[in-house]
Amino acid sequence: MIGHQTRRPGAHFLQLPGPTTTPQRVMEAIARPTINHRGPEFRDLTVEALEGIRAIFRTSGSVIIYPSSGTGAWEAALVNALSPGDAVLMYETGWFSTLWCRLARKIGLEPELIPGDWRTPVDAEAIGQRLREDKARRIKAVCVVHNETSTGVTSDLAAVRRAIDEAGHPALLMVDLVSSLASIDYRHDEWGVDVAVGGSQKGLMLPPGLSFNALSDKALAASRSARLTRSYWDWAEMLEANARGFFPYTPAINLLQGLREAIAMLQEEGLDAVFARHRRAAAATRAAVAQWGFETQCRDAAAHSPVLTAVRMPDGVSADAVRESALERCNMSLGNGLGQLDDKVFRIGHLGDFSDALVLGTIAATEAALAFAGVSHRTGGTEAAIALLTGQRAAQPGELAA
Ligand SMILES: *Cc1c(COP(=O)(O)O)cnc(C)c1O
């Protein structure tokens, strides 16, 4: 057989910080026959999917669903609300923040990236300071990544909102939730976010292919006079069609069937329980990393990501070698280091649909991969994780923090 590889028995552990494992219930919903996207059955699906996703964003406003990866929704947020040459203030949390910045420049905006060290969260004070200096009000939007997937650092979005308000600045607040939506507490309306960007393949437990923009009234108002060129991403056309239960072009029908099921699962568990489950898995993973004797890429105890842990290898040790043994010997995929962290960190994903057994299996397999790769470490990481999950070891300060 062409391309046939040696069979790896047992379930593959897809422990990336996205895409994540799609649960059976969602797979079955996606596998149902494709329906007419202009028929009555589809209208019900649109209404239910839109209502459900609004609850996930905790907003009573509009949410747009695109058939695209998260990158498309990044672009959609900018082209709908801004005009050519607008200044945009961004913050360098890591690889994803720099990609969003590059996209902004390519489409004709003038992004300014506040430099960061890829190990700490957004400094809301620095954003407030920059906005106070902007007397001419050239900055039209502040864009930050909630959970920086390249580093495992989560930022405080409510603090960014306060900084903008305290500076008395009218800029829109745009946030990237691609790896935090449905995994880390997020409150669109309460936190006063204008545009939130989401994706399907991380906390929402779906395959890649759907993305989201959650809007505020202020963002909608801005879109009416915004002049960047847009067609496929146009909020106005989408909202008009959605109001009738349809889409302006063929939507990702089967993924929408999966979305409805995934949202039902999240609601059955309860969003707060989902968030707590992610914090526990993260604390258990960090307990193991500390026992192994490694540093996490995040070095702010209050900002550790609940959805992934980026593990720094000592100088001269290849992180990719650990990932290779994880794949070859343990049938497990770990995330690679991105950008300046290439081969320096590996990333353990703990988001989406997982149990304690899966978290412990991942940690044990990572410990085995370290041994297979000949990387010097203290053993006992798995025991440390069990102790944390069973409450025999108290969480360290910040370990269970949101
Ligand atoms: C995954 C991710 C993206 C990019 O999403 P794609 O679906 O790959 O286009 C953007 N931002 C963050 C924070 C991500 O984790």
Side-chain angles (χ1 to χ4, degrees):
M1 227 196 298
I2 295 167
H4 180 78
Q5 296 190 340
T6 312
R7 183 178 117 78
R8 296 185 211 275
H12 181 71
F13 272 42
L14 187 68
Q15 296 313 119
L16 308 173
T20 64
T21 302
T22 304
Q24 189 66 24
R25 265 176 70 180
V26 174
M27 291 298 281
E28 285 168 10
I30 291 170
R32 285 204 289 269
T34 302
I35 60 174
N36 174 11
H37 66 297
R38 305 204 193 281
E41 195 185 339
F42 186 80
R43 189 187 298 131
D44 293 343
L45 174 59
T46 303
V47 170
E48 286 171 54
L50 287 173
E51 204 173 282
I53 198 68
R54 276 201 292 269
I56 301 295
F57 278 97
R58 289 186 161 149
T59 182
S60 57
S62 298
V63 178
I64 308 273
I65 307 178
Y66 294 111
S68 86
S69 87
T71 302
W74 262 348
E75 180 165 338
L78 301 175
V79 295
N80 275 284
L82 300 168
S83 297
D86 277 355
V88 174
L89 186 62
M90 296 181 147
Y91 194 99
E92 185 191 8
T93 43
W95 178 244
F96 288 98
S97 64
T98 61
L99 284 187
W100 199 8
C101 179
R102 196 184 304 171
L103 189 158
R105 186 167 294 116
K106 279 196 211 162
I107 63 174
L109 295 167
E110 286 180 21
E112 174 182 331
L113 190 66
I114 300 179
D117 63 2
W118 291 42
R119 300 197 70 176
T120 48
V122 169
D123 177 358
E125 210 22 69
I127 288 179
Q129 181 59 38
R130 183 65 192 88
L131 292 177
R132 277 191 293 275
E133 289 163 12
D134 181 37
K135 303 275 188 247
R137 304 292 189 239
R138 285 196 61 248
I139 297 169
K140 301 299 181 208
V142 172
C143 301
V144 294
V145 175
H146 186 202
N147 183 72
E148 179 51 76
T149 322
S150 63
T151 62
V153 179
T154 306
S155 290
D156 182 348
L157 298 180
V160 176
R161 174 78 265 168
R162 278 195 302 277
I164 297 172
D165 292 346
E166 282 163 15
H169 199 289
L172 296 167
L173 173 57
M174 300 193 183
V175 303
D176 171 338
L177 306 181
V178 178
S179 65
S180 56
L181 187 65
S183 299
I184 304 177
D185 190 17
Y186 176 72
R187 305 158 191 216
H188 189 77
D189 292 355
E190 186 183 325
W191 293 350
V193 173
D194 294 301
V195 188
V197 173
S200 57
Q201 75 273 29
K202 301 184 185 182
L204 279 175
M205 312 182 288
L206 291 159
L210 291 181
S211 71
F212 311 94
N213 274 177
L215 315 179
S216 71
D217 289 343
K218 187 175 163 187
L220 270 173
S223 74
R224 289 188 197 104
S225 54
R227 286 176 292 103
L228 272 173
T229 303
R230 58 186 186 266
S231 168
Y232 187 76
W233 305 116
D234 197 342
W235 291 340
E237 285 182 30
M238 187 68 96
L239 290 172
E240 201 227 323
N242 283 175
R244 289 178 285 113
F246 299 108
F247 283 72
Y249 38 71
T250 315
I253 300 165
N254 293 62
L255 286 175
L256 290 171
Q257 293 172 171
L259 176 66
R260 174 170 56 187
E261 191 66 28
I263 293 170
M265 290 171 70
L266 290 162
Q267 298 295 11
E268 282 165 29
E269 185 178 353
L271 277 185
D272 290 331
V274 171
F275 302 150
R277 176 164 57 80
H278 283 75
R279 290 196 299 270
R280 269 181 91 238
T285 305
R286 288 198 299 279
V289 173
Q291 172 62 27
W292 293 329
F294 301 132
E295 278 181 50
T296 56
Q297 180 64 18
C298 176
R299 62 170 171 210
D300 179 335
H304 282 297
S305 170
V307 311
L308 82 135
T309 303
V311 183
R312 282 172 71 91
M313 288 293 94
D315 283 344
V317 175
S318 164
D320 286 344
V322 179
R323 293 193 314 109
E324 272 158 38
S325 21
L327 182 60
E328 295 302 322
R329 311 296 288 267
C330 306
N331 195 10
M332 175 171 77
S333 291
L334 296 173
N336 62 312
L338 295 166
Q340 66 186 48
L341 300 178
D342 179 36
D343 206 25
K344 296 191 169 19
V345 306
F346 61 83
R347 295 173 300 144
I348 304 173
H350 29 78
L351 76 160
D353 188 43
F354 62 82
S355 59
D356 280 2
L358 196 80
V359 170
L360 290 171
T362 298
I363 292 168
T366 305
E367 189 160 341
L370 289 165
F372 280 130
V375 175
S376 164
H377 65 287
R378 266 198 317 261
T379 57
T382 309
E383 286 77 359
I386 293 171
L388 191 127
L389 287 176
T390 54
Q392 290 161 38
R393 173 186 167 287
Q396 300 303 301
E399 272 186 353
L400 287 172

